């Protein structure tokens, strides 16, 4: 027992630790050797397309599936042998899974009843948590008498009322319309900060991942592609998948011609472009096939004679299409010197009222540090 | 033109011809009458039933003259008085009602896990097996199945032979109340499972996961989540099983061997043994009344919505 207690003491700051966890369904590897640590009180988002294994990973942490390899530790204790109802984990489900035969208050009271709290404590806590999710006075409503957003709030209150070690969110916002979804994202953030509960959120919505999280894990094909803070994930993607999945990114294919430090020279269609190596990416050597990734908003667009001062890479092109999206204009520009590649460019300049029409000759420019070079 | 002919498949052209024919026979101004027309066969069938019921009501008010074997001309309530006062009929009614209730309870207890497994199993092979096993008895008539039990449970039947091998003397397994109830449960099980399965399918599996993540083990998940949500199915299945067992004829007749008559057997005896149409009709009407009251009470207690009718519950 002595060993266990010192372990606990050492692991005190880590709420969840996933070690080499794998999940195989038949001959499909849903999750391959996933490992990460999540400190207490942090909000982690697992981001990935459908089929990337993110929900499987979450279900294993919740205890609904057991990993076929590896181990999950919660508060330093291995949990493989612990059934879901004995793990102190609150979960908000994709379809919320509210109990339709109970009122909002009865739903929130359910986990407390299962833990045999006395009636007075239950009443007080239910009221406090309905208050927390701003549903004071709605306790007596039946579930089908509540709006979508209100149901979300009941589900959050129910998952938190028993003060779980960990809160899991399984894409509960996916079904909401955009405005309500953005409102609920901030609500999740507020409640999580207020209670300081360690949270793991699963989503395929990159915006949600960036807005709500302290840390983001990007998954694809059952493997963790990158784990970093949102800003880092966005600004320094570890590989082409991450660069492509988050944000709108242009890829320019070529070959590495020279490397010095983090600066890379890429040869594409006879043009030399400079970029930087990806911070957490695979190592590059001269001659390897690579692609340079530049985000659409990091390319400046200007008329054919404009200077574009201060930008290191400048190419000329022709507008193929311009799409007005309200707060920004999206250009698709054909660049002959890059083998006719079409680059997407966002223009957020609201002051000049300038818009280039299809067929117009323009110049595009970007900084070398904004082109991340990945091994192909 | 030729191009469009090619793109227009033959089946579509055939359907066009049908539609034109239908339009000629049944112009669109009649369209609104169509739903009512489609209701007609059902109305005619129910109407015939009502006519029969009136006929039976008429017979029930006439007594049999045992010397002439003619029905009396005058209306009298004598049959009702006999049916309600004679101890034999009270015994039969009590046995039927009690039997129906016991059979319903046992059937629901057996059917629930079967339906649950069938709905929730991730293995489609197991689901298919359970479904086939469920439908197989429907292909074997009730009477044939009852005779099958005679062979299995008879004094020289398979069960007694097997018991003999381990030194147990032959037992009387047939022609008693438990044998009838056993036969009825076996007969009712598929009906109950078929009524329960849709109700259980309507409960999202996620609710059970949610309950378990909120701290409920499977027993409490069952008690607080599955059972209350399955109530419409349980009530519906219970109603079907109660009414079918209450009115069953073949199983009490064959497995009861005449000593365990249910109401239907008594009615049969009146019609075809003593030829007392009047008393038979009276017993039939009383059975209809008891059944209707039972269904009425259940509807009042649980609401007609329990049979998944109407959408008061979403």
């Amino acid at each position: 027992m002595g060993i266990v207690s010192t372990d606990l003491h050492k692991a005190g700051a880590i709420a969840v630790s996933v070690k080499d966890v794998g999940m195989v369904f038949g001959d499909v590897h849903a999750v391959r050797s996933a490992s990460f640590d999540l400190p207490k009180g942090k909000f982690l988002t697992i981001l990935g397309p459908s089929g990337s294994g993110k929900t499987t990973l979450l279900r294993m942490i919740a205890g609904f599936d057991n990993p076929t390899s590896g181990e999950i530790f919660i508060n330093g204790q291995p949990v493989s042998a612990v059934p879901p109802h004995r793990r102190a984990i609150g979960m908000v489900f994709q379809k919320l899974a509210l109990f339709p035969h109970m009122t909002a208050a009865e739903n929130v009271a359910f986990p407390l009843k299962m833990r045999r709290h006395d009636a007075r404590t239950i009443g007080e806590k239910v009221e406090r948590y309905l208050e927390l999710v701003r549903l004071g006075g709605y306790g007596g409503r039946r579930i089908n008498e509540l709006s979508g957003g209100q149901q979300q709030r009941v589900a959050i209150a129910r998952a938190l009322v028993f003060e779980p070690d960990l809160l899991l969110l399984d894409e509960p916002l996916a079904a909401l319309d955009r405005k309500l979804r953005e409102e609920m994202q901030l609500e999740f953030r507020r409640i999580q900060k207020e209670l300081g509960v360690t949270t793991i959120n699963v989503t395929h919505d990159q915006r949600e991942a960036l807005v709500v999280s302290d840390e983001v894990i990007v998954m694809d094909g059952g493997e963790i592609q990158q784990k970093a803070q949102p800003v880092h994930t966005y600004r320094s993607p570890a590989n082409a998948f991450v660069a492509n999945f988050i944000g709108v990114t242009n890829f320019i294919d070529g070959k590495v011609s020279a490397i010095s430090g983090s600066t890379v020279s890429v040869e594409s269609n006879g043009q030399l472009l400079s970029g930087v190596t990806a911070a957490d990416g695979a190592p590059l050597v001269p001659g390897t096939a690579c692609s340079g990734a530049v985000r659409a908003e990091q390319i400046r667009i200007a008329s054919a004679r404009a200077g574009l001062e201060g930008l290191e890479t400048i190419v000329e092109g022709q507008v193929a299409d311009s799409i007005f999206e309200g707060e920004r204009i999206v250009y698709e520009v054909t660049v002959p010197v890059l083998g006719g590649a079409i680059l997407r460019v966002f223009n957020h300049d609201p002051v000049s009222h300038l818009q280039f029409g299809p067929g117009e000759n323009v110049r595009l420019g970007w900084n070398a540090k904004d082109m991340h070079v990945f091994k192909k | 033109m030729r191009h469009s002919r090619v793109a227009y498949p033959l089946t579509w052209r055939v359907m066009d011809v049908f539609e034109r024919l239908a339009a000629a026979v049944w112009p669109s101004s009649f369209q609104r009458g169509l739903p009512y027309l489609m209701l007609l066969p059902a109305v005619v069938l129910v109407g015939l039933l009502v006519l029969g019921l009136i006929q039976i009501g008429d017979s029930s008010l006439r007594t049999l003259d045992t010397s002439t074997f003619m029905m009396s001309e005058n209306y009298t309530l004598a049959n009702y008085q006999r049916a309600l006062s004679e101890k034999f009929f009270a015994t039969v009614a009590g046995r039927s009602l009690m039997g129906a209730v016991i059979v319903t309870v046992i059937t629901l207890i057996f059917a629930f896990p079967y339906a649950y497994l069938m709905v929730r199993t991730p293995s489609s092979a197991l689901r298919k097996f359970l479904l086939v096993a469920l439908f197989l008895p429907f292909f074997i008539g009730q009477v044939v199945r009852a005779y099958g039990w005679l062979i299995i449970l008879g004094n020289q039947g398979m069960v007694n032979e097997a018991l003999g091998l381990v030194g147990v003397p032959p037992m009387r397994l047939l022609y008693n109340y438990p044998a009838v109830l056993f036969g009825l449960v076996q007969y009712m099980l598929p009906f109950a499972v078929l009524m329960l399965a849709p109700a259980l399918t309507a409960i999202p599996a996620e609710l059970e996961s949610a309950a378990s993540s909120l701290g409920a083990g499977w027993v409490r998940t069952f008690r607080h989540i599955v059972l209350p949500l399955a109530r419409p199915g349980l009530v519906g299945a219970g109603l079907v099983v109660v009414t079918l067992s209450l009115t069953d004829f073949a199983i009490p007749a064959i497995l009861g061997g005449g000593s365990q008559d249910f109401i239907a057997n008594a009615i049969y005896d009146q019609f075809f043994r003593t030829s007392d149409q009047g008393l038979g009709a009276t017993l039939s009407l009383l059975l209809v009344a008891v059944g209707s009251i039972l269904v009425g009470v259940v509807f009042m207690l649980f609401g007609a919505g329990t049979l998944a009718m109407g959408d008061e519950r979403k």
Side-chain angles (χ1 to χ4, degrees), chain B residues 192-216:
Chain B
V193 173
L194 283 180
M195 296 282 297
L196 277 175
L200 292 179
T201 313
I203 305 173
E206 212 180 43
L207 290 189
E208 289 165 50
S209 301
S212 97
S213 87
L214 294 170

Side-chain angles (χ1 to χ4, degrees), chain A residues 164-319:
Chain A
D165 297 337
L166 184 62
L167 176 66
L168 303 180
L169 309 172
D170 182 13
E171 297 199 61
L173 302 181
L176 297 183
D177 61 72
R178 188 172 154 193
K179 223 177 171 116
L180 190 54
R181 189 166 68 229
E182 288 174 3
E183 189 190 311
M184 290 306 297
Q185 285 166 1
L186 297 178
E187 192 73 2
F188 273 135
R189 182 88 191 134
R190 174 185 71 84
I191 293 168
Q192 194 268 340
K193 285 282 162 269
E194 211 168 309
L195 300 177
V197 60
T198 316
T199 303
I200 301 181
N201 173 41
V202 155
T203 187
H204 61 266
D205 179 347
Q206 44 148 315
R207 188 185 177 281
E208 179 182 322
L210 298 177
V211 169
V212 300
S213 328
D214 296 313
E215 302 231 27
V216 176
I217 284 180
V218 182
M219 277 189 85
D220 182 48
E223 282 176 81
I224 292 179
Q225 304 292 326
Q226 187 171 15
K227 175 180 182 283
Q229 292 175 0
V231 177
H232 188 79
T233 310
Y234 191 84
R235 296 219 174 121
S236 316
N239 56 38
F241 175 82
V242 177
N244 193 30
F245 192 71
I246 303 179
V248 175
T249 307
N250 296 293
F251 287 95
I252 302 162
D253 291 342
K255 244 183 4 205
V256 176
S257 70
I259 298 192
S260 74
S262 66
T263 315
V264 196
S265 222
V266 178
E267 192 241 298
S268 173
N269 293 289
Q271 290 282 354
L272 272 183
L273 306 168
S274 15
V276 291
T277 51
D280 315 314
L284 298 167
V285 288
T288 44
C290 65
S291 66
V294 194
R295 296 212 183 271
E297 74 274 18
Q298 282 169 332
I299 301 178
R300 184 85 59 81
I301 185 167
S303 66
R305 280 170 304 281
L308 288 173
E309 287 85 9
L311 297 182
E312 287 141 352
T313 309
I314 292 173
V315 294
E316 304 204 332
Q318 205 174 36
V319 174

Side-chain angles (χ1 to χ4, degrees), chain B residues 11 16 24 75 153 172 300:
Chain B
T11 48
D16 277 358
Y75 284 157
L153 299 176
R172 209 172 106 102
M300 285 219 316

Side-chain angles (χ1 to χ4, degrees), chain A residues 40-360:
Chain A
K40 277 206 169 116
K42 292 287 181 194
F43 196 124
L44 169 78
T45 293
I46 304 177
L47 175 69
S50 50
S52 58
K54 58 188 192 302
T55 297
T56 309
L57 189 53
L58 195 78
R59 289 180 58 84
M60 288 191 286
I61 295 169
F64 299 132
D65 294 323
N66 253 336
T68 40
S69 59
E71 181 63 272
I72 294 167
F73 299 84
I74 295 176
N75 292 333
Q77 300 291 327
V79 292
S80 280
V82 184
H85 67 278
R86 294 200 194 285
R87 302 183 185 190
I89 293 179
M91 182 152 172
V92 182
F93 288 77
Q94 200 159 20
K95 292 182 187 130
L96 302 183
L98 293 170
F99 304 131
H101 58 301
M102 300 181 189
T103 62
E106 284 167 348
N107 264 281
V108 179
F110 186 81
L112 300 175
K113 270 192 200 144
M114 292 303 111
R115 286 172 174 74
R116 305 191 195 285
H117 288 263
D118 62 273
R120 213 171 54 100
T121 326
I122 293 180
E124 279 167 11
K125 276 201 164 178
V126 167
E127 199 161 319
R128 185 143 52 87
Y129 276 83
L130 281 176
E131 217 54 74
L132 174 79
V133 296
R134 298 176 180 167
L135 273 185
Y138 285 85
R141 299 273 187 101
R142 293 189 80 86
I143 296 309
N144 58 10
E145 294 166 347
L146 296 172
S147 72
Q150 289 167 337
Q151 293 184 3
Q152 292 278 344
R153 292 163 191 271
V154 175
I156 300 166
R158 187 180 69 172
L160 288 172
V161 70
F162 59 102
E163 285 154 21
D165 297 337
L166 184 62
L167 176 66
L168 303 180
L169 309 172
D170 182 13
E171 297 199 61
L173 302 181
L176 297 183
D177 61 72
R178 188 172 154 193
K179 223 177 171 116
L180 190 54
R181 189 166 68 229
E182 288 174 3
E183 189 190 311
M184 290 306 297
Q185 285 166 1
L186 297 178
E187 192 73 2
F188 273 135
R189 182 88 191 134
R190 174 185 71 84
I191 293 168
Q192 194 268 340
K193 285 282 162 269
E194 211 168 309
L195 300 177
V197 60
T198 316
T199 303
I200 301 181
N201 173 41
V202 155
T203 187
H204 61 266
D205 179 347
Q206 44 148 315
R207 188 185 177 281
E208 179 182 322
L210 298 177
V211 169
V212 300
S213 328
D214 296 313
E215 302 231 27
V216 176
I217 284 180
V218 182
M219 277 189 85
D220 182 48
E223 282 176 81
I224 292 179
Q225 304 292 326
Q226 187 171 15
K227 175 180 182 283
Q229 292 175 0
V231 177
H232 188 79
T233 310
Y234 191 84
R235 296 219 174 121
S236 316
N239 56 38
F241 175 82
V242 177
N244 193 30
F245 192 71
I246 303 179
V248 175
T249 307
N250 296 293
F251 287 95
I252 302 162
D253 291 342
K255 244 183 4 205
V256 176
S257 70
I259 298 192
S260 74
S262 66
T263 315
V264 196
S265 222
V266 178
E267 192 241 298
S268 173
N269 293 289
Q271 290 282 354
L272 272 183
L273 306 168
S274 15
V276 291
T277 51
D280 315 314
L284 298 167
V285 288
T288 44
C290 65
S291 66
V294 194
R295 296 212 183 271
E297 74 274 18
Q298 282 169 332
I299 301 178
R300 184 85 59 81
I301 185 167
S303 66
R305 280 170 304 281
L308 288 173
E309 287 85 9
L311 297 182
E312 287 141 352
T313 309
I314 292 173
V315 294
E316 304 204 332
Q318 205 174 36
V319 174
D321 202 357
S322 79
I323 302 145
F324 179 70
E325 285 189 354
E327 82 277 18
R328 70 183 181 198
I329 300 167
V330 180
Y331 291 103
E332 292 189 345
V333 181
T334 316
V335 183
V337 291
L338 295 175
I342 292 178
L343 300 186
R344 278 204 274 179
V345 181
F346 292 160
N347 186 3
H348 286 93
D349 177 7
V351 182
S352 67
H353 290 251
L354 190 70
Q355 185 166 1
F356 302 104
E360 253 181 271

Side-chain angles (χ1 to χ4, degrees), chain B:
Chain B
M1 268 317 276
R2 280 184 67 198
H3 237 84
S4 65
R5 284 285 290 272
V6 174
Y8 206 65
L10 180 69
T11 48
W12 291 17
R13 269 181 276 158
V14 172
M15 303 232 296
D16 277 358
V17 171
F18 274 124
E19 261 180 37
R20 242 172 277 140
L21 266 175
V25 175
W26 192 261
S28 60
S29 53
F30 289 6
Q31 282 296 328
R32 294 207 301 163
L34 196 62
Y36 298 99
L37 195 76
M38 290 168 92
L39 215 60
L40 204 61
V43 171
V44 168
L45 276 176
V46 172
L48 282 176
L49 263 180
V50 171
L51 278 183
L53 212 59
I54 292 171
Q55 173 72 46
I56 288 181
D58 179 73
S59 313
S60 77
L61 293 171
R62 300 168 195 276
T63 48
L64 181 77
D65 185 337
T66 40
S67 54
T68 60
F69 267 88
M70 298 283 285
M71 302 305 290
S72 67
E73 286 294 318
N74 304 329
Y75 284 157
T76 157
L77 286 173
N79 284 328
Y80 288 91
Q81 208 187 355
R82 254 188 86 192
L84 294 176
S85 60
E86 265 183 43
K87 195 159 175 280
F88 170 72
F89 295 122
T91 313
V92 168
R95 185 191 291 135
S96 309
L97 277 169
M98 172 78 114
V101 170
I102 296 174
V103 165
T104 304
V105 171
I106 296 177
T107 305
L108 289 182
I109 290 173
F110 284 176
F112 201 97
Y114 193 105
Y116 186 84
L117 183 65
M118 198 169 78
V119 166
R120 285 281 191 263
T121 178
S123 148
S124 70
L126 179 60
R127 191 183 351 267
K128 274 179 204 143
F129 170 77
L130 290 174
L131 261 177
V132 169
L134 196 63
F135 275 104
L136 219 52
F138 281 128
F139 300 134
I140 308 160
Q142 200 194 353
V143 176
V144 178
R145 239 191 299 164
Y147 275 112
W149 285 120
L150 288 187
I151 295 166
I152 294 168
L153 299 176
N155 280 351
Q156 273 99 43
M158 280 153 56
V159 173
N160 270 326
E161 259 179 42
L163 287 176
L165 289 180
V166 290
V168 180
M171 284 190 289
R172 209 172 106 102
L173 299 170
L174 280 171
Y175 309 132
N176 49 29
Y177 199 42
V180 173
L181 297 188
F182 174 80
L184 279 174
V185 166
Q186 199 263 346
Y187 174 57
M188 296 301 163
L189 204 56
F191 292 105
V193 173
L194 283 180
M195 296 282 297
L196 277 175
L200 292 179
T201 313
I203 305 173
E206 212 180 43
L207 290 189
E208 289 165 50
S209 301
S212 97
S213 87
L214 294 170
W218 74 266
V219 176
R220 289 199 286 172
T221 299
F222 179 78
R223 212 187 97 202
H224 294 288
I225 309 301
V226 181
L227 209 52
L229 289 174
R231 203 181 68 176
L234 282 170
V235 172
L239 265 186
V240 167
V241 174
V242 143
T243 43
L244 283 182
S245 356
L246 187 62
T247 56
D248 198 64
F249 174 80
I251 302 271
I254 297 168
L255 294 183
S259 66
Q260 307 294 332
D261 280 358
F262 272 33
I263 301 175
N265 307 89
I267 295 170
Y268 178 88
D269 286 348
Q270 292 309 321
F271 271 110
F272 299 104
R273 292 225 168 109
T274 52
S275 285
D276 189 346
Q277 269 190 54
L279 191 56
T282 305
L283 291 174
S284 308
L285 279 185
L286 287 176
L287 180 55
V288 170
V290 169
S292 307
I293 289 169
L294 208 70
V295 174
V297 166
V298 169
F299 274 5
M300 285 219 316
L301 285 180
F302 299 100
T306 48
L307 287 185
M309 282 182 272
D311 50 5
E312 59 183 303
R313 231 168 212 285
K314 266 203 206 153

